[in-house]
Amino acid sequence: MKGLVALTKALADGATSSVETTKALLQKPDLVGAFLLRDDAGALAAAKASDERRARGAALGPLDGVSVALKDNILTEGVVTTAGSKLLAGFVPPYDATVTTRLKAAGAVLLGKTNLDEFGMGSSTENSAFQQTKNPFDLTRTPGGSSGGSAAAVAAGLCAGALGTDTGGSIRQPAAFTGLVGLKPTYGRVSRAGVVAYASSLDQVGPLARSVEDVALLLEAIEGFDAADSTSSDVAKTAWREGLRSGVKGLRVGLPKELFVDGMDPEIDASVRAAARRLEALGAHVVELSLPHTKYALATYYVIAPCEASSNLGRYDGVRYGHRAKDVKALKDLYEKSRSEGLGPEVKRRIMLGTFALSAGYHDAYYVKAQQVRTLIRRDYEAAFASVDVVLSATSPVLPWRLGEKLDDPLAMYLMDVLTLPCNLAGLPGLSMPCGQSKAGLPIGLQLLGRPFDEATLLRAAHALEADLNLSLEPR
Amino acid sequence: MKLTEQQVRHVARLARLALSPEELVTYREQLSAVLDAVDALAQVDTTGVVPTSVVGASTPHLRADVPHGEVGVKVALANAPQVDGTSFAIPRVIE
Amino acid sequence: MPRADFQVVIGLEVHAQLLTSTKLFSGASTSFGGDPNAHTSIVCLGLPGVLPVLNQRAVELALSAGHALECTIAERSEWSRKHYFYPDLPKGYQITQYEFPICLGGRVVFDGPEGEKTVRLTRIHMEEDAGKLVHQGAVSLVDLNRAGTPLLEIVSEPELRSADDAVEYLKALRDVLVWVGVNDGNLEEGSFRCDANVSVMRHGATTFGTRCELKNLNSFRFIKQAIEIEASRQVELLEGGGKVEQETRLFDPQRGETRSMRSKEDAHDYRYFPDPDLPPLLLSKARIEQARQALPELPRARRRRYVEALGLPPYDAGVLTADRAMSELFERCLAEVGEAKPVSNWFMGELSRLLNETKTSVAEVKFTPTQFAAVLRAVKDGVVSGPGAKELFAELFATGKDPHAIIAEKGLAQVNDDGPLLEAIAQAMAEAPKNVESYRNGNTKIVGAFVGAVMKKLGGKGNPRRINELLVEKLKA
């Protein structure tokens, strides 16, 4: 399977056609359970249209004819979008998310919708109401989550690239678990319009792909101001790929001691530190630093995200769309039965947690307090970025775990997000890239965090490291 | 903190979730465990710290007051579980 | 204990719909009518993934209202979510302003029976309206046409002390909002709604009693009734040794009572928090000042100016400022004419009569202020007679034609030249020698008959004053 950039080139050279590659991808069996829906008809029509544009010599988009998959919390007009929830089974959106529109405008062929933890709530994609997604590197293990379907689809060679969403690590952790590059852009860089909201102040859409350059290409297609999203920032679009090859000479890299946590897998620790030494060898200055409030990130996140989720999910009431319980006679039953039948246990947990944290008597101790600590976490990073250009750590403290292993202990599952959460809380850009493999052949990912809107530096550093490590991680 | 059964019931009611007696027990334990972890926040001195509630753009972009984007009743009702005329229908609400 | 021992304390919360074309956070139309759910967008429907985008006009109107009511405008205000489940609330929360509203303080001035009164405002904030629920047989129907319509909530301090004052306050508030073009002032259609917080306390008490919130007050009459009935209820309750419970009560105009709305199963816990989809609204000092400068002269100030500077009777000043459009037309006509009283007389008299009779609104008036001034000049210069002027004005009102052309067309010009007047006088005197005799014998009253005869010969177009002068001269000779 070629990457996005390679495929773009092959299409340009006439080595293949969009219809040919699209067909091949659609026919490939989905052994990892990555897709909830493959839109054969839509994808083939788009591929045909792309080939015709090319034949006509019409203007082509940067992704013309290239196959991309979307996480199923990204709305697609006329194509069922469920957010992994039974509550939205069969829901046909009447509009496209802004990122969907932008991918279409760039000429991309949208292959289908990928599996996820219900509403993005989870770290293993096991919270999907519909199916289990497996890690292509070991089918007994999780691909990570919540964008596990997108990650598995790209890693299994079922598409050239994919979009995910990241609220607390949901792009970066699955990317790390499946040997991919995944980017969570700065909050406000990519529009959230048409993306099923989980936690509005943390959610961000971003790409997962096989190389840094592929990720840059996808980012170019989806980023930029959107009048439909009031939190969207009016920053200029960037030609990301142009600066990729400038190297890391003089780059200041910080290793925060708080992100090298106790209980971290020693293979991961070793692999990440080795990568840091490679950066040093390439001319970067690597220093240790401290982000003192990091230890409160987990508590902060598990207040703020559930609070916002409890509010965002209030609209699923069975009145206008979505699941409605049968034979309800009273309003109370309409609400309680529809929601209880339609929502899964993890979603209910977070809704109740958030409802509690916002309720009278607890609002200040939990919600307000968490927002204050969030300010302190943000300040930690502001201070750090006064002396370094990127912050480097592992993406996940553990390797992909066995499916079913952590399902009974929500808190243990939450603890797995500890390294990725601060990035969302501070609104920073974060990138995960492969930096090695465990002895058992499981991918290991490292995380780079940058200043707000400085994705350029992240991509440049990642590209240099990628070239230097020259890994070729392929599922067995 | 440890939630009482009563608190869990109250929160479920506020969130319009119906819990079976078994669920009540399970959620009570799980939520209490998470809240115990979350209670670490109390250790942080946040005197005078401004809460961060919104990130991203500093003030919203304002929309001109020009009509656009009505979808029409057909689209509006397309996913509705029950329709009457051009309204969404629900079991009669008793006030 | 008699009722007179108690003092009623009232605070009012007004919800005024802002006169925008589209909703507060969506481009769907705010117009009335249409099938249920015809005026909905993906945002009004609360579909997954939709985000609010703030209407600029709504902000401008809120600024106007804030300035007109002398509020302090916040340079930073915040949007919050207020959570509750109800089928007419699509998102499960209402976007409103909670901790940091757009306007703080302010006041409403009105004329009570004992003269001018001022009631302070606590705050004004912006929020979105809910949809509508209609019950029909075994089902309830949800219509989201109104969902998301922009509202201003104007909250007064509990400073009102009678139902009459409450009504006067509301009328004055409505006048100002309508005057500055923020609201249409329609209580029946619900675009100007009021909830009243009512409590009673003994005279001389220093703390307020427990209050009840009254809902469903959709006319000034109902507001007065509801407050009086509720105050009596509370007094009776207290006199009987009971306690007032803080609650929301519905006014039932048919039964003439208020009743508890406690049927809502549980106490609300709105769980407010800042809406993460909407950054705070930041308004620069310059922007706020600019809005203040753009504010029109307000009705009370204008009324005072008409009396004090223009010397108009207070009654005239009141009529002329009852309606913004009328007042603006008066201003423009006044600018052309230069003298207030004659303009006022025409507005209070002929213009009001014609508007009423033809059911025309001021906005539809066809004449220009210049044309209006030409009519007044024609009267002053004696070009047309008094009755001629009325005919001229009526024609101008109906057609908007040039007044000089109307005078010529309808032959409304008076004969002012002595030549034809003297000729007609000579004829009239020749035809009635006895009357001439009678006049000369001292019956000077008979001059009236001569004026009539002369006027008849001139087809009613002679200048009556000149005819009189010349007649007297000739008769005396």
Side-chain angles (χ1 to χ4, degrees):
Chain A
M1 175 67 209
K2 293 190 173 81
L4 278 166
V5 174
L7 187 54
T8 314
K9 194 167 177 301
L11 287 166
D13 295 346
T16 184
S17 72
S18 181
V19 169
E20 190 185 343
T21 54
T22 303
K23 253 188 196 155
L25 290 172
L26 290 170
Q27 281 161 10
K28 209 167 171 181
D30 178 7
L31 302 174
V32 289
F35 281 94
L36 287 175
L37 179 148
R38 288 215 253 190
D39 181 17
D40 297 46
L44 281 172
K48 198 160 162 260
S50 170
D51 286 342
E52 282 167 10
R53 277 196 296 276
R54 201 177 294 275
R56 261 202 330 270
L60 297 175
L63 293 171
D64 225 294
V66 170
S67 51
V68 177
L70 299 177
K71 185 177 182 179
D72 200 32
N73 59 355
I74 297 172
L75 265 59
T76 41
E77 183 177 346
V79 176
V80 171
T81 302
T82 67
S85 181
K86 189 181 157 192
L87 200 141
L88 283 177
F91 174 72
V92 183
Y95 75 107
D96 273 334
T98 297
V99 291
T100 307
T101 306
R102 288 187 179 174
L103 283 180
K104 285 179 177 172
V109 172
L110 305 180
L111 279 186
K113 311 300 291 287
T114 60
N115 198 20
L116 68 158
D117 287 298
E118 185 175 3
F119 290 106
M121 300 182 194
S123 315
S124 67
T125 315
E126 289 166 292
N127 296 330
S128 164
F130 302 109
Q131 68 194 35
Q132 203 156 64
T133 300
K134 302 171 184 104
N135 192 321
F137 286 81
D138 179 344
L139 298 181
T140 68
R141 291 177 189 271
T142 174
S146 62
S147 310
S150 286
V154 179
L158 298 169
C159 59
L163 295 189
T165 60
D166 190 320
T167 306
S170 283
I171 289 173
R172 290 159 288 154
Q173 183 252 27
F177 279 16
T178 57
L180 300 177
V181 182
L183 175 71
K184 184 208 88 82
T186 308
Y187 186 87
R189 185 181 282 287
V190 179
S191 170
R192 292 183 296 116
V195 178
V196 181
Y198 158 22
S200 311
S201 75
L202 304 163
D203 294 342
Q204 194 64 188
V205 182
L208 294 106
R210 298 164 76 83
S211 71
V212 174
E213 202 176 358
D214 282 2
V215 158
L217 184 61
L218 277 172
L219 180 63
E220 263 175 52
I222 61 169
E223 70 164 347
F225 175 72
D226 178 14
D229 177 356
S230 299
T231 60
S232 148
S233 281
D234 201 356
V235 288
K237 295 187 73 137
T238 317
W240 296 111
R241 286 183 298 156
E242 280 169 18
L244 281 183
R245 285 170 181 79
S246 328
V248 293
K249 200 149 279 167
L251 186 80
R252 295 167 302 170
V253 178
L255 301 186
K257 57 178 190 234
E258 292 83 1
L259 288 182
F260 288 81
V261 290
D262 290 341
M264 191 149 114
D265 188 293
E267 285 192 280
I268 295 176
D269 188 81
S271 178
V272 171
R273 289 186 193 278
R277 283 193 296 277
R278 288 312 307 159
L279 280 173
E280 211 159 21
L282 293 169
H285 304 295
V286 178
V287 293
E288 281 220 356
L289 56 83
S290 174
L291 298 161
H293 293 95
T294 297
K295 61 179 163 186
Y296 302 111
L298 186 89
T300 305
Y301 178 87
Y302 279 98
V303 172
I304 293 170
C307 284
E308 294 183 7
S310 72
S311 170
N312 286 330
L313 272 62
R315 70 191 59 198
Y316 305 112
D317 56 8
V319 173
R320 300 166 316 285
Y321 55 84
H323 177 76
R324 181 188 292 188
K326 286 201 168 49
D327 300 326
V328 286
K329 300 227 161 34
L331 187 61
K332 177 177 185 287
D333 291 342
L334 170 71
Y335 285 139
E336 294 191 352
K337 285 193 178 156
S338 302
R339 288 166 64 80
S340 298
E341 290 172 7
L343 300 171
E346 182 58 33
V347 173
K348 288 181 193 166
R349 258 191 301 274
R350 294 197 195 187
I351 288 177
M352 285 194 281
L353 196 55
T355 303
F356 175 75
L358 287 171
S359 67
Y362 300 96
H363 179 276
D364 288 357
Y366 288 104
Y367 176 76
V368 176
K369 185 80 178 181
Q371 298 288 33
Q372 288 176 311
V373 178
R374 183 177 187 178
T375 303
L376 297 175
I377 292 169
R378 223 179 49 179
R379 284 186 197 158
D380 276 2
Y381 279 89
E382 272 166 21
F385 285 122
S387 57
V388 300
D389 302 307
V390 296
V391 167
L392 188 153
S393 71
T395 308
S396 166
V398 295
L399 294 165
W401 55 88
R402 286 190 193 285
L403 290 165
E405 194 180 295
K406 295 184 199 293
L407 271 183
D408 296 335
D409 188 351
L411 185 59
M413 190 83 101
Y414 297 172
L415 286 166
M416 301 300 110
D417 302 334
V418 64
L419 303 181
T420 46
L421 302 175
C423 165
N424 301 77
L425 291 169
L428 307 173
L431 178 145
S432 178
M433 62 177 292
C435 62
Q437 245 172 321
S438 72
K439 285 188 202 85
L442 294 169
I444 296 171
L446 67 75
Q447 172 178 253
L448 295 170
L449 303 180
R451 297 185 185 94
F453 299 103
D454 189 17
E455 279 84 347
T457 300
L458 288 189
L459 291 167
R460 173 163 63 92
H463 190 268
L465 191 56
E466 178 184 62
D468 181 75
L469 295 172
N470 195 24
L471 300 167
S472 79
L473 296 185
E474 288 296 334
R476 278 174 289 187
Chain B
M1 73 174 282
K2 180 106 178 118
L3 293 177
T4 64
E5 255 188 40
Q6 181 52 39
Q7 281 175 311
V8 179
R9 219 178 281 123
H10 173 67
V11 164
R13 173 66 194 137
L14 272 180
R16 297 298 184 273
L17 293 169
L19 302 184
S20 67
E22 299 77 42
E23 283 177 316
L24 193 64
V25 173
T26 316
Y27 284 125
R28 183 183 168 202
E29 276 170 23
Q30 291 173 337
L31 296 177
S32 297
V34 177
L35 285 172
D36 278 340
V38 160
D39 284 336
L41 290 176
Q43 302 160 9
V44 189
D45 180 6
T46 51
T47 320
V49 177
V50 179
T52 299
S53 50
V54 183
V55 278
S58 55
T59 192
H61 139 85
L62 298 179
R63 170 177 57 80
D65 186 28
V66 179
H68 77 97
E70 281 184 5
V71 293
V73 290
K74 198 166 157 249
V75 171
L77 301 170
N79 283 290
Q82 192 188 344
V83 168
D84 191 318
T86 67
S87 294
F88 300 98
I90 53 170
R92 188 184 173 95
V93 175
I94 299 135
E95 307 246 357
Chain C
M1 202 173 294
R3 168 78 195 266
D5 274 13
F6 282 90
Q7 171 71 64
V8 61
V9 176
I10 307 155
L12 296 174
E13 286 173 20
V14 166
H15 285 91
Q17 181 180 331
L18 292 172
L19 284 174
T20 56
S21 304
T22 67
K23 296 184 180 179
L24 186 53
F25 297 111
S26 120
S29 167
T30 50
S31 56
F32 275 113
D35 289 333
N37 297 301
H39 298 308
T40 57
S41 72
I42 53 174
V43 176
C44 317
L45 292 164
L47 290 181
V50 296
L51 297 170
V53 182
L54 183 56
N55 183 339
Q56 173 162 12
R57 183 78 188 132
V59 175
E60 286 163 5
L61 292 177
L63 275 174
S64 297
H67 281 310
L69 296 168
E70 298 171 66
C71 305
T72 304
I73 312 286
E75 288 176 53
R76 180 186 180 285
S77 60
E78 203 174 76
W79 301 99
S80 288
R81 295 180 177 184
K82 176 183 181 178
H83 300 85
Y84 62 97
F85 284 93
Y86 207 64
D88 64 6
L89 187 71
K91 299 184 297 295
Y93 59 83
Q94 175 197 32
I95 305 177
T96 180
Q97 297 191 305
Y98 183 59
E99 222 178 323
F100 302 100
I102 186 162
C103 306
L104 288 167
R107 58 198 192 122
V108 172
V109 184
F110 60 93
D111 294 311
E114 306 101 45
E116 190 174 277
K117 284 194 180 175
T118 297
V119 165
R120 286 175 303 159
L121 299 178
T122 313
R123 59 187 278 162
I124 301 179
H125 70 253
M126 304 171 76
E127 63 184 28
E128 53 176 358
D129 206 349
K132 209 169 73 181
L133 200 58
V134 180
H135 309 297
Q136 184 188 293
V139 293
S140 293
L141 304 177
V142 183
D143 172 9
L144 300 177
N145 281 347
R146 210 182 59 188
T149 298
L151 302 177
L152 275 191
E153 181 171 328
I154 301 153
V155 184
S156 84
E157 292 286 320
E159 292 181 344
L160 290 155
R161 293 291 179 269
S162 75
D164 287 322
D165 276 2
V167 170
E168 288 311 314
Y169 162 93
L170 288 170
K171 285 182 175 166
L173 172 60
R174 188 180 68 159
D175 281 352
V176 170
L177 296 181
V178 172
W179 186 272
V180 297
V182 158
N183 178 259
D184 70 11
N186 192 325
L187 274 76
E188 286 73 27
E189 277 176 21
S191 45
F192 184 92
R193 309 198 283 267
C194 168
D195 299 334
N197 285 306
V198 177
S199 66
V200 296
M201 61 180 188
R202 280 172 213 277
H203 280 292
T206 49
T207 51
F208 292 155
T210 307
R211 66 172 192 269
C212 289
E213 189 183 358
L214 302 182
K215 293 205 180 273
N216 194 32
L217 313 175
N218 51 16
S219 75
F220 288 130
R221 195 162 55 90
F222 287 172
I223 289 162
K224 181 167 154 45
Q225 272 179 18
I227 292 172
E228 283 171 350
I229 287 167
E230 174 61 15
S232 301
R233 185 189 72 89
Q234 292 183 12
V235 168
E236 275 169 36
L237 204 61
L238 294 175
E239 285 185 325
K243 248 179 73 183
V244 176
E245 277 195 52
Q246 188 169 335
E247 61 179 353
T248 302
R249 298 179 69 85
L250 195 73
F251 175 59
D252 183 338
Q254 257 114 51
R255 297 199 201 167
E257 62 175 31
T258 68
R259 64 170 179 272
S260 176
M261 287 177 76
R262 237 172 320 176
S263 61
K264 305 236 161 165
E265 324 171 26
D266 22 43
H268 284 302
D269 182 346
Y270 292 126
R271 289 161 283 138
Y272 288 96
F273 74 89
D275 190 334
D277 288 334
L278 286 163
L281 177 63
L282 304 180
L283 297 167
S284 67
K285 281 198 175 70
R287 173 87 191 278
I288 293 168
E289 181 54 24
Q290 195 189 342
R292 204 178 61 79
Q293 299 289 348
L295 205 67
E297 184 183 26
L298 296 173
R300 290 188 72 82
R302 186 166 283 183
R303 222 168 290 151
R304 196 178 315 127
R305 178 167 64 84
Y306 283 2
V307 174
E308 288 171 7
L310 301 182
L312 293 176
Y315 177 77
D316 289 24
V319 173
L320 290 171
T321 54
D323 174 70
R324 170 88 184 273
M326 182 78 148
S327 183
E328 292 305 320
L329 185 64
F330 176 77
E331 288 284 303
R332 283 158 57 216
C333 289
L334 179 61
E336 287 289 328
V337 176
E339 207 186 330
K341 189 60 191 167
V343 180
S344 171
N345 289 344
W346 278 91
F347 268 64
M348 309 274 296
E350 286 306 288
L351 177 59
S352 296
R353 187 178 62 78
L354 288 167
L355 288 170
N356 267 333
E357 281 173 7
T358 59
K359 296 192 167 54
T360 309
S361 75
V362 176
E364 293 165 316
V365 159
K366 293 196 176 98
F367 64 81
T368 66
T370 315
Q371 290 174 329
F372 176 84
V375 174
L376 267 68
R377 209 174 311 115
V379 177
K380 198 176 178 190
D381 295 350
V383 175
V384 291
S385 63
K390 284 186 179 175
E391 201 182 334
L392 167 61
F393 184 70
E395 186 64 13
L396 173 64
F397 182 86
T399 63
K401 278 189 196 159
D402 174 37
H404 301 292
I406 296 171
I407 293 170
E409 235 173 72
K410 297 227 152 194
L412 294 174
Q414 290 194 121
V415 179
N416 289 319
D417 291 350
D418 285 359
L421 294 183
L422 286 170
E423 206 175 300
I425 287 169
Q427 276 179 31
M429 285 172 67
E431 281 165 15
K434 276 187 190 164
N435 285 350
V436 176
E437 185 98 21
S438 169
Y439 180 86
R440 288 178 180 159
N441 286 334
N443 182 13
T444 52
K445 276 184 198 157
I446 208 152
V447 73
F450 276 109
V451 172
V454 171
M455 199 58 111
K456 203 171 173 191
K457 291 186 186 299
L458 293 165
K461 286 170 197 154
N463 180 337
R465 196 159 37 113
R466 188 60 188 153
I467 291 172
N468 209 58
E469 282 168 15
L470 290 173
L471 257 175
V472 172
E473 205 176 289
K474 289 293 165 194
L475 287 169
K476 279 186 180 160

